[in-house]
Amino acid sequence: MSDKRRIAVLGSTGSIGTQTLDVVRRHADKLEVVALAAGSRVGDILQQAQEFNVACVALGDAACVSSPEFEALKSTTVQNANKLKAQGTSSAEAFCEVGPEAVVSLVQLPEVEVVVNALVGAAGLRASYEALKAGKVLALANKESLVVGGDLIMPLAKELDKARRSAGIAPLDAPAGSLMPIDSEHGAIYQCLLGENEREVRLLWVTASGGPFRGKTKKDLLHITPAQALKHPTWNMGAKITIDSSTLMNKGLEVIEAHHLFDMPYDRIEVVVQPQSAIHSMVEFSDGSVKAHLGTTDMRIPIQFALSYPERWDAPVEPLDFRTLGSLEFAAPDTDTFRCLALARHAGTVGGTLPCVMNAANEIAVATFLQGANSYLGIAACVEAVMNEHEKAGVQQVESLEQLEVLDAWARAEALNHLTRPE
């Protein structure tokens, strides 16, 4: 068997997934892709399976079986499985299935050691839950896993941390690494906290670029088009997260994530706009000292750290040249114009099932905006309306994935009702 870290990449055809595969190319002596999952892009995942000799593949969209390339994908997985057996590097059988359950099955495969969850939206929650439950290290890029299900995910991660320490496969004097954030902001905070006493932390500073509409008023945003909102000034990301970044919802989701990841109360998590995106986040300590994580705006850096921890490998990109960086600016976020940040903080503070409802409503509001069926300012209005309905009905404690799935479906339907309801 190989002594490389064997990883499953969920969402392999998206922005984070393709950059993860680039990290694997650069460190092929340390990493091996053993499973891939995507939504519906059969042709793209076929190319990936061929390049990385992957025998286990899943597609979330069941309609993919009718794709003309699906049979070629099945054939490729069989050929790769036979090749790996002949080489003596794997005994895994070929796996090529479709549907949400097939994606979950990948994370439970015995040959998978690390699961990179780069799935978009609430669909990634069950995969995160099952990965940790199966004892796999979770490299997490799916924000919704913690935003929606943090009350379920974090206890599993803590139990796995204990098990990894007991087995001697994790550092005893540093985080055990069962859950590694693939996110520039949380990856930065994670690294700033290494070697520190968390009881001495005063504030977590989550940085934001401010998005393409920084400084704009509500009046300026009345007629924003999807094309305008998709032009992020510093990061190259998928459509949904780019819209979330422009509304500052992304930053709100990150505040909720930080609360769960670092066990930090909301009154000790602040957001600061840092337009150059050179400072990825900061930690302020009780004595007034501040640690800031700076670096190139390239997601391959936090991806690689999540896969290499507790080691550091050679940089996947050119390092930042501080002589040419220029000035660093800071500003408070405008939560009156960009309501989504305030809504997310409220949802997190209330807790329970409200973040689940908020997230589902936001996914619908963003999707309809991208389709031209909702206005830009209508995103926040839709999210707020659905949150208000849930609070009137009564926010519940989080008890199970099934409970969250029911509420997720309700919130999506309610969001659509809000958008189609005459004013």
Side-chain angles (χ1 to χ4, degrees):
M1 299 291 286
S2 170
D3 59 358
K4 301 175 184 178
R5 294 182 185 180
R6 294 168 292 169
I7 67 174
V9 184
L10 313 184
S12 65
T13 62
S15 174
I16 295 295
T18 55
Q19 290 179 88
T20 298
L21 295 179
D22 191 49
V23 170
V24 174
R25 289 186 192 97
R26 293 165 184 267
H27 296 286
D29 58 325
K30 302 180 182 75
L31 297 170
E32 179 182 2
V33 181
V34 296
L36 295 166
S40 59
R41 293 159 70 173
V42 184
D44 290 348
I45 206 169
L46 170 60
Q47 292 178 1
Q48 293 172 347
Q50 291 170 337
E51 178 183 354
F52 292 95
N53 294 318
V54 176
C56 300
V57 173
L59 290 151
D61 186 350
C64 289
V65 292
S66 61
S67 166
E69 294 165 303
F70 186 73
E71 286 304 316
L73 180 61
K74 287 187 74 172
S75 177
T76 294
T77 60
V78 171
Q79 292 171 14
N80 289 341
N82 292 337
K83 186 189 304 181
L84 293 170
K85 286 177 185 176
Q87 294 170 349
T89 55
S90 174
S91 59
E93 298 295 330
F95 181 97
C96 184
E97 302 291 341
V98 299
E101 292 305 315
V103 176
V104 171
S105 295
L106 282 189
V107 310
Q108 298 166 330
L109 293 172
E111 56 270 23
V112 172
E113 295 174 319
V114 181
V115 175
V116 176
N117 187 349
L119 296 170
V120 175
L125 170 57
R126 185 170 288 276
S128 291
Y129 183 88
E130 295 297 342
L132 290 169
K133 195 174 177 182
K136 317 295 186 181
V137 169
L138 177 62
L140 186 62
N142 174 263
K143 293 182 182 301
E144 292 75 13
S145 290
L146 292 179
V147 171
V148 175
D151 292 337
L152 301 175
I153 294 294
M154 292 312 299
L156 285 176
K158 288 172 183 175
E159 284 300 312
L160 185 54
D161 277 345
K162 290 179 186 176
R164 286 168 55 79
R165 285 198 177 97
S166 297
I169 55 175
L172 294 176
D173 56 352
S178 296
L179 199 170
M180 295 296 300
I182 291 185
D183 186 309
S184 64
E185 291 81 4
H186 300 110
I189 292 170
Y190 195 100
Q191 294 181 63
C192 287
L193 288 173
L194 290 176
E196 300 289 351
N197 184 341
E198 294 184 15
R199 291 188 298 275
E200 296 173 350
V201 174
R202 179 178 174 272
L203 282 176
L204 303 182
W205 286 97
V206 180
T207 54
S209 70
F213 307 130
R214 180 171 57 93
K216 301 291 186 184
T217 65
K218 281 188 179 179
K219 186 178 179 181
D220 296 329
L221 301 176
L222 281 172
H223 304 293
I224 292 297
T225 66
Q228 290 172 310
L230 287 169
K231 291 180 180 177
H232 195 279
T234 52
W235 292 101
N236 178 23
M237 306 175 290
K240 197 268 181 182
I241 192 172
T242 303
I243 300 301
D244 281 350
S245 180
S246 75
T247 65
L248 294 193
M249 175 58 87
N250 194 46
K251 216 46 53 179
L253 299 180
E254 288 173 3
V255 167
I256 298 173
E257 284 184 279
H259 163 75
H260 287 293
L261 277 169
F262 307 111
D263 197 19
M264 194 66 61
Y266 285 98
D267 61 0
R268 290 165 60 192
I269 306 171
E270 295 290 347
V271 173
V272 61
V273 175
Q274 205 287 292
Q276 293 78 23
S277 296
I279 297 179
H280 297 146
S281 275
M282 303 177 287
V283 175
E284 182 178 336
F285 296 93
S286 54
D287 64 353
S289 300
V290 179
K291 277 174 121 178
H293 182 284
L294 289 82
T296 305
T297 54
D298 193 302
M299 284 303 298
R300 287 172 293 182
I301 294 175
I303 290 169
Q304 180 172 298
F305 183 72
L307 295 175
S308 71
Y309 179 81
E311 301 173 358
R312 291 187 186 271
W313 300 339
D314 292 343
V317 294
E318 285 296 316
L320 190 63
D321 186 344
F322 291 96
R323 297 166 298 183
T324 61
L325 178 59
S327 62
L328 294 174
E329 303 171 64
F330 300 91
D334 179 358
T335 53
D336 290 328
T337 301
F338 300 94
R339 286 277 300 141
C340 285
L341 175 54
L343 291 172
R345 185 179 280 276
H346 173 73
T349 303
V350 171
T353 52
L354 190 57
C356 169
V357 166
M358 174 208 68
N359 178 76
N362 181 63
E363 286 193 21
I364 292 297
V366 170
T368 51
F369 168 67
L370 288 169
Q371 294 160 5
N374 187 14
S375 69
Y376 183 76
L377 292 178
I379 295 173
C382 176
V383 172
E384 186 167 17
V386 178
M387 286 174 62
N388 286 341
E389 287 299 313
H390 185 52
E391 288 195 85
K392 286 178 187 175
V395 175
Q396 308 160 28
Q397 285 190 334
V398 174
E399 297 175 351
S400 68
L401 289 178
E402 291 72 24
Q403 170 205 29
L404 293 173
E405 287 167 356
V406 169
L407 280 170
D408 178 273
W410 171 84
R412 289 170 191 275
E414 187 64 25
L416 288 171
N417 286 339
H418 168 79
L419 291 169
T420 56
R421 195 178 296 138
E423 296 295 334

mmCIF file of all heavy atoms in Angstrom, residues 238-268:
data_model
loop_
_atom_site.group_PDB
_atom_site.id
_atom_site.type_symbol
_atom_site.label_atom_id
_atom_site.label_comp_id
_atom_site.label_asym_id
_atom_site.label_seq_id
_atom_site.Cartn_x
_atom_site.Cartn_y
_atom_site.Cartn_z
ATOM 1 N N GLY A 238 -16.276 30.369 -7.113
ATOM 2 C CA GLY A 238 -17.494 29.956 -7.795
ATOM 3 C C GLY A 238 -18.571 31.020 -7.690
ATOM 4 O O GLY A 238 -18.482 31.957 -6.884
ATOM 5 N N ALA A 239 -19.637 30.867 -8.493
ATOM 6 C CA ALA A 239 -20.671 31.905 -8.587
ATOM 7 C C ALA A 239 -21.376 32.154 -7.259
ATOM 8 O O ALA A 239 -21.551 33.304 -6.845
ATOM 9 C CB ALA A 239 -21.692 31.514 -9.660
ATOM 10 N N LYS A 240 -21.790 31.088 -6.573
ATOM 11 C CA LYS A 240 -22.572 31.277 -5.353
ATOM 12 C C LYS A 240 -21.763 32.001 -4.290
ATOM 13 O O LYS A 240 -22.231 32.965 -3.667
ATOM 14 C CB LYS A 240 -23.057 29.914 -4.844
ATOM 15 C CG LYS A 240 -24.193 29.996 -3.833
ATOM 16 C CD LYS A 240 -23.683 30.033 -2.412
ATOM 17 C CE LYS A 240 -24.833 30.098 -1.398
ATOM 18 N NZ LYS A 240 -24.328 30.174 -0.008
ATOM 19 N N ILE A 241 -20.537 31.571 -4.040
ATOM 20 C CA ILE A 241 -19.731 32.196 -3.000
ATOM 21 C C ILE A 241 -19.329 33.621 -3.401
ATOM 22 O O ILE A 241 -19.172 34.495 -2.545
ATOM 23 C CB ILE A 241 -18.480 31.332 -2.668
ATOM 24 C CG1 ILE A 241 -17.817 31.838 -1.384
ATOM 25 C CG2 ILE A 241 -17.497 31.311 -3.804
ATOM 26 C CD1 ILE A 241 -16.705 30.943 -0.887
ATOM 27 N N THR A 242 -19.211 33.886 -4.703
ATOM 28 C CA THR A 242 -18.880 35.237 -5.154
ATOM 29 C C THR A 242 -20.030 36.194 -4.876
ATOM 30 O O THR A 242 -19.825 37.332 -4.431
ATOM 31 C CB THR A 242 -18.529 35.241 -6.657
ATOM 32 O OG1 THR A 242 -17.447 34.335 -6.882
ATOM 33 C CG2 THR A 242 -18.114 36.630 -7.119
ATOM 34 N N ILE A 243 -21.267 35.754 -5.116
ATOM 35 C CA ILE A 243 -22.425 36.593 -4.782
ATOM 36 C C ILE A 243 -22.494 36.792 -3.275
ATOM 37 O O ILE A 243 -22.726 37.909 -2.788
ATOM 38 C CB ILE A 243 -23.732 35.967 -5.308
ATOM 39 C CG1 ILE A 243 -23.695 35.806 -6.831
ATOM 40 C CG2 ILE A 243 -24.929 36.830 -4.889
ATOM 41 C CD1 ILE A 243 -23.497 37.098 -7.604
ATOM 42 N N ASP A 244 -22.284 35.728 -2.507
ATOM 43 C CA ASP A 244 -22.280 35.847 -1.049
ATOM 44 C C ASP A 244 -21.224 36.832 -0.572
ATOM 45 O O ASP A 244 -21.432 37.561 0.405
ATOM 46 C CB ASP A 244 -22.024 34.480 -0.403
ATOM 47 C CG ASP A 244 -23.261 33.598 -0.363
ATOM 48 O OD1 ASP A 244 -24.367 34.101 -0.656
ATOM 49 O OD2 ASP A 244 -23.116 32.406 -0.040
ATOM 50 N N SER A 245 -20.092 36.842 -1.249
ATOM 51 C CA SER A 245 -19.036 37.783 -0.877
ATOM 52 C C SER A 245 -19.478 39.220 -1.131
ATOM 53 O O SER A 245 -19.197 40.126 -0.338
ATOM 54 C CB SER A 245 -17.758 37.471 -1.660
ATOM 55 O OG SER A 245 -16.731 38.372 -1.318
ATOM 56 N N SER A 246 -20.183 39.434 -2.223
ATOM 57 C CA SER A 246 -20.619 40.790 -2.571
ATOM 58 C C SER A 246 -21.687 41.308 -1.606
ATOM 59 O O SER A 246 -21.772 42.514 -1.344
ATOM 60 C CB SER A 246 -21.155 40.822 -4.008
ATOM 61 O OG SER A 246 -22.441 40.243 -4.102
ATOM 62 N N THR A 247 -22.527 40.415 -1.063
ATOM 63 C CA THR A 247 -23.581 40.829 -0.130
ATOM 64 C C THR A 247 -23.097 40.844 1.323
ATOM 65 O O THR A 247 -23.829 41.265 2.218
ATOM 66 C CB THR A 247 -24.786 39.877 -0.203
ATOM 67 O OG1 THR A 247 -24.384 38.572 0.250
ATOM 68 C CG2 THR A 247 -25.362 39.791 -1.610
ATOM 69 N N LEU A 248 -21.880 40.356 1.552
ATOM 70 C CA LEU A 248 -21.278 40.135 2.873
ATOM 71 C C LEU A 248 -21.916 38.971 3.625
ATOM 72 O O LEU A 248 -21.607 38.741 4.793
ATOM 73 C CB LEU A 248 -21.300 41.396 3.747
ATOM 74 C CG LEU A 248 -20.426 42.580 3.274
ATOM 75 C CD1 LEU A 248 -20.297 43.627 4.381
ATOM 76 C CD2 LEU A 248 -19.041 42.132 2.817
ATOM 77 N N MET A 249 -22.816 38.216 2.981
ATOM 78 C CA MET A 249 -23.335 36.999 3.605
ATOM 79 C C MET A 249 -22.192 36.021 3.862
ATOM 80 O O MET A 249 -22.163 35.335 4.894
ATOM 81 C CB MET A 249 -24.403 36.341 2.726
ATOM 82 C CG MET A 249 -24.904 34.991 3.243
ATOM 83 S SD MET A 249 -25.618 35.068 4.909
ATOM 84 C CE MET A 249 -27.313 35.507 4.507
ATOM 85 N N ASN A 250 -21.246 35.970 2.929
ATOM 86 C CA ASN A 250 -20.110 35.070 3.093
ATOM 87 C C ASN A 250 -19.389 35.345 4.409
ATOM 88 O O ASN A 250 -18.981 34.426 5.118
ATOM 89 C CB ASN A 250 -19.148 35.206 1.912
ATOM 90 C CG ASN A 250 -18.153 34.081 1.850
ATOM 91 O OD1 ASN A 250 -18.514 32.925 1.986
ATOM 92 N ND2 ASN A 250 -16.893 34.417 1.654
ATOM 93 N N LYS A 251 -19.246 36.628 4.731
ATOM 94 C CA LYS A 251 -18.571 36.984 5.972
ATOM 95 C C LYS A 251 -19.431 36.592 7.167
ATOM 96 O O LYS A 251 -18.910 36.183 8.215
ATOM 97 C CB LYS A 251 -18.277 38.479 5.982
ATOM 98 C CG LYS A 251 -16.989 38.856 6.620
ATOM 99 C CD LYS A 251 -15.781 38.037 6.224
ATOM 100 C CE LYS A 251 -15.501 37.908 4.745
ATOM 101 N NZ LYS A 251 -14.282 37.112 4.461
ATOM 102 N N GLY A 252 -20.753 36.723 7.027
ATOM 103 C CA GLY A 252 -21.635 36.283 8.095
ATOM 104 C C GLY A 252 -21.538 34.787 8.338
ATOM 105 O O GLY A 252 -21.507 34.328 9.487
ATOM 106 N N LEU A 253 -21.470 34.023 7.253
ATOM 107 C CA LEU A 253 -21.296 32.573 7.390
ATOM 108 C C LEU A 253 -19.972 32.257 8.079
ATOM 109 O O LEU A 253 -19.890 31.342 8.906
ATOM 110 C CB LEU A 253 -21.342 31.906 6.013
ATOM 111 C CG LEU A 253 -22.631 32.059 5.192
ATOM 112 C CD1 LEU A 253 -22.498 31.324 3.863
ATOM 113 C CD2 LEU A 253 -23.846 31.563 5.951
ATOM 114 N N GLU A 254 -18.940 33.023 7.754
ATOM 115 C CA GLU A 254 -17.623 32.786 8.355
ATOM 116 C C GLU A 254 -17.604 33.114 9.844
ATOM 117 O O GLU A 254 -16.878 32.482 10.619
ATOM 118 C CB GLU A 254 -16.558 33.589 7.606
ATOM 119 C CG GLU A 254 -16.268 33.028 6.225
ATOM 120 C CD GLU A 254 -15.341 33.900 5.396
ATOM 121 O OE1 GLU A 254 -14.867 34.933 5.918
ATOM 122 O OE2 GLU A 254 -15.092 33.555 4.231
ATOM 123 N N VAL A 255 -18.384 34.099 10.258
ATOM 124 C CA VAL A 255 -18.493 34.403 11.691
ATOM 125 C C VAL A 255 -19.095 33.209 12.423
ATOM 126 O O VAL A 255 -18.615 32.805 13.495
ATOM 127 C CB VAL A 255 -19.342 35.678 11.904
ATOM 128 C CG1 VAL A 255 -19.730 35.822 13.375
ATOM 129 C CG2 VAL A 255 -18.572 36.914 11.440
ATOM 130 N N ILE A 256 -20.152 32.619 11.848
ATOM 131 C CA ILE A 256 -20.779 31.442 12.469
ATOM 132 C C ILE A 256 -19.796 30.270 12.486
ATOM 133 O O ILE A 256 -19.682 29.555 13.495
ATOM 134 C CB ILE A 256 -22.075 31.066 11.735
ATOM 135 C CG1 ILE A 256 -23.094 32.204 11.834
ATOM 136 C CG2 ILE A 256 -22.672 29.772 12.310
ATOM 137 C CD1 ILE A 256 -24.353 31.996 11.010
ATOM 138 N N GLU A 257 -19.080 30.081 11.385
ATOM 139 C CA GLU A 257 -18.064 29.023 11.343
ATOM 140 C C GLU A 257 -17.012 29.217 12.426
ATOM 141 O O GLU A 257 -16.609 28.267 13.107
ATOM 142 C CB GLU A 257 -17.376 29.018 9.982
ATOM 143 C CG GLU A 257 -18.164 28.427 8.852
ATOM 144 C CD GLU A 257 -17.316 28.411 7.593
ATOM 145 O OE1 GLU A 257 -17.204 29.454 6.918
ATOM 146 O OE2 GLU A 257 -16.747 27.342 7.284
ATOM 147 N N ALA A 258 -16.531 30.449 12.565
ATOM 148 C CA ALA A 258 -15.492 30.745 13.559
ATOM 149 C C ALA A 258 -15.988 30.447 14.967
ATOM 150 O O ALA A 258 -15.235 29.940 15.817
ATOM 151 C CB ALA A 258 -15.052 32.201 13.442
ATOM 152 N N HIS A 259 -17.235 30.762 15.228
ATOM 153 C CA HIS A 259 -17.837 30.458 16.531
ATOM 154 C C HIS A 259 -17.731 28.963 16.834
ATOM 155 O O HIS A 259 -17.346 28.562 17.949
ATOM 156 C CB HIS A 259 -19.303 30.898 16.512
ATOM 157 C CG HIS A 259 -20.137 30.294 17.609
ATOM 158 N ND1 HIS A 259 -20.059 30.713 18.922
ATOM 159 C CD2 HIS A 259 -21.060 29.276 17.587
ATOM 160 C CE1 HIS A 259 -20.896 29.989 19.657
ATOM 161 N NE2 HIS A 259 -21.509 29.118 18.872
ATOM 162 N N HIS A 260 -18.053 28.128 15.844
ATOM 163 C CA HIS A 260 -18.004 26.681 16.057
ATOM 164 C C HIS A 260 -16.573 26.147 16.067
ATOM 165 O O HIS A 260 -16.196 25.361 16.945
ATOM 166 C CB HIS A 260 -18.805 25.964 14.963
ATOM 167 C CG HIS A 260 -20.285 26.117 15.111
ATOM 168 N ND1 HIS A 260 -20.988 25.565 16.148
ATOM 169 C CD2 HIS A 260 -21.202 26.759 14.332
ATOM 170 C CE1 HIS A 260 -22.273 25.849 16.028
ATOM 171 N NE2 HIS A 260 -22.432 26.570 14.936
ATOM 172 N N LEU A 261 -15.776 26.560 15.101
ATOM 173 C CA LEU A 261 -14.419 26.022 14.964
ATOM 174 C C LEU A 261 -13.546 26.319 16.169
ATOM 175 O O LEU A 261 -12.764 25.462 16.616
ATOM 176 C CB LEU A 261 -13.749 26.610 13.714
ATOM 177 C CG LEU A 261 -14.042 25.958 12.367
ATOM 178 C CD1 LEU A 261 -13.514 26.836 11.246
ATOM 179 C CD2 LEU A 261 -13.420 24.566 12.299
ATOM 180 N N PHE A 262 -13.663 27.542 16.691
ATOM 181 C CA PHE A 262 -12.747 27.981 17.738
ATOM 182 C C PHE A 262 -13.439 28.149 19.091
ATOM 183 O O PHE A 262 -12.846 28.696 20.019
ATOM 184 C CB PHE A 262 -12.061 29.278 17.299
ATOM 185 C CG PHE A 262 -11.404 29.159 15.952
ATOM 186 C CD1 PHE A 262 -11.909 29.843 14.852
ATOM 187 C CD2 PHE A 262 -10.314 28.323 15.764
ATOM 188 C CE1 PHE A 262 -11.319 29.717 13.594
ATOM 189 C CE2 PHE A 262 -9.721 28.183 14.517
ATOM 190 C CZ PHE A 262 -10.224 28.874 13.432
ATOM 191 N N ASP A 263 -14.696 27.675 19.184
ATOM 192 C CA ASP A 263 -15.446 27.705 20.435
ATOM 193 C C ASP A 263 -15.420 29.108 21.038
ATOM 194 O O ASP A 263 -15.138 29.293 22.228
ATOM 195 C CB ASP A 263 -14.871 26.681 21.416
ATOM 196 C CG ASP A 263 -15.837 26.364 22.556
ATOM 197 O OD1 ASP A 263 -17.048 26.635 22.411
ATOM 198 O OD2 ASP A 263 -15.370 25.878 23.603
ATOM 199 N N MET A 264 -15.724 30.093 20.198
ATOM 200 C CA MET A 264 -15.617 31.498 20.584
ATOM 201 C C MET A 264 -16.989 32.157 20.577
ATOM 202 O O MET A 264 -17.738 32.033 19.605
ATOM 203 C CB MET A 264 -14.702 32.218 19.589
ATOM 204 C CG MET A 264 -14.230 33.591 20.050
ATOM 205 S SD MET A 264 -13.139 33.535 21.495
ATOM 206 C CE MET A 264 -11.752 32.563 20.876
ATOM 207 N N PRO A 265 -17.361 32.867 21.657
ATOM 208 C CA PRO A 265 -18.658 33.553 21.663
ATOM 209 C C PRO A 265 -18.704 34.662 20.615
ATOM 210 O O PRO A 265 -17.672 35.222 20.231
ATOM 211 C CB PRO A 265 -18.753 34.130 23.085
ATOM 212 C CG PRO A 265 -17.356 34.151 23.601
ATOM 213 C CD PRO A 265 -16.636 33.034 22.922
ATOM 214 N N TYR A 266 -19.904 34.979 20.166
ATOM 215 C CA TYR A 266 -20.057 35.929 19.062
ATOM 216 C C TYR A 266 -19.578 37.335 19.412
ATOM 217 O O TYR A 266 -19.136 38.078 18.523
ATOM 218 C CB TYR A 266 -21.515 35.971 18.593
ATOM 219 C CG TYR A 266 -21.877 34.758 17.778
ATOM 220 C CD1 TYR A 266 -22.536 33.676 18.359
ATOM 221 C CD2 TYR A 266 -21.545 34.667 16.437
ATOM 222 C CE1 TYR A 266 -22.857 32.548 17.617
ATOM 223 C CE2 TYR A 266 -21.859 33.548 15.683
ATOM 224 C CZ TYR A 266 -22.511 32.491 16.284
ATOM 225 O OH TYR A 266 -22.811 31.375 15.543
ATOM 226 N N ASP A 267 -19.629 37.711 20.680
ATOM 227 C CA ASP A 267 -19.177 39.058 21.038
ATOM 228 C C ASP A 267 -17.656 39.185 21.039
ATOM 229 O O ASP A 267 -17.117 40.260 21.283
ATOM 230 C CB ASP A 267 -19.757 39.499 22.389
ATOM 231 C CG ASP A 267 -19.333 38.609 23.548
ATOM 232 O OD1 ASP A 267 -18.580 37.635 23.330
ATOM 233 O OD2 ASP A 267 -19.774 38.880 24.682
ATOM 234 N N ARG A 268 -16.977 38.066 20.730
ATOM 235 C CA ARG A 268 -15.517 38.111 20.607
ATOM 236 C C ARG A 268 -15.065 37.751 19.188
ATOM 237 O O ARG A 268 -13.937 37.322 18.969
ATOM 238 C CB ARG A 268 -14.877 37.182 21.644
ATOM 239 C CG ARG A 268 -15.036 37.726 23.078
ATOM 240 C CD ARG A 268 -14.735 36.681 24.119
ATOM 241 N NE ARG A 268 -13.378 36.178 24.032
ATOM 242 C CZ ARG A 268 -12.945 35.100 24.693
ATOM 243 N NH1 ARG A 268 -13.796 34.420 25.469
ATOM 244 N NH2 ARG A 268 -11.699 34.697 24.575
#
